[in-house]
Amino acid sequence: QVQLVESGGGLVQAGDSLRLSCAASGRTFSRYIMGWFRQAPRKEREFVAAIRWSGGNTYYADSVKGRFTISRDDAMNTVVLQMDTLKTEDTAVYYCAAAQTTVFSRSPNVYGYWGQGTQVTVSS
């Protein structure tokens, strides 16, 4: 049973940084893509970033490129999203997700496993 548990959300001011973690368990993720998505009120869930567990290749949405960094810790089975220079438009619930594929995708439909989400609020 795959479990994804996010942590690290909170309330920060614009320009601040925040670090989200996703603890993954239940299987070996070497042939998975791990992703972060976010969903703001009255908006669709949108892709933020993804990492291929084996090899560490990364993929970002244009809106976060240069500000966010995704990484994984093999020993801890954890995926981290480091968010710097946060903007008010980054406010959303952030979800960790896992897809049983090695091909990057922005589509939430490809990801079969999801965490419960963590709230990130950026004030001006």
Side-chain angles (χ1 to χ4, degrees):
Q1 181 77 6
V2 173
Q3 273 200 313
L4 305 174
V5 180
E6 303 98 334
S7 61
L11 171 63
V12 296
Q13 291 190 321
D16 286 350
S17 297
L18 208 55
R19 186 174 183 268
L20 304 184
S21 293
C22 173
S25 62
R27 63 187 57 182
T28 302
F29 293 93
S30 58
R31 296 192 63 79
Y32 278 68
I33 296 289
M34 305 298 292
W36 285 96
F37 287 77
R38 65 187 181 187
Q39 189 165 19
R42 298 174 298 281
K43 291 191 175 181
E44 291 188 353
R45 191 166 296 191
E46 67 168 348
F47 170 79
V48 175
I51 186 167
R52 185 179 291 124
W53 196 283
S54 179
N57 305 82
T58 56
Y59 181 44
Y60 295 94
D62 288 343
S63 58
V64 306
K65 203 173 293 183
R67 299 188 299 121
F68 291 11
T69 304
I70 188 171
S71 61
R72 90 264 186 257
D73 183 329
D74 286 338
M76 299 296 291
N77 241 31
T78 299
V79 179
V80 172
L81 185 68
Q82 176 67 39
M83 305 186 294
D84 298 320
T85 320
L86 282 160
K87 304 176 181 180
T88 55
E89 52 262 45
D90 295 319
T91 295
V93 176
Y94 283 71
Y95 296 90
C96 177
Q100 198 170 357
T101 178
T102 57
V103 178
F104 283 120
S105 175
R106 295 171 174 263
S107 171
N109 296 330
V110 172
Y111 294 77
Y113 304 99
W114 293 84
Q116 82 287 352
T118 185
Q119 177 70 46
V120 171
T121 303
V122 184
S123 65
S124 58

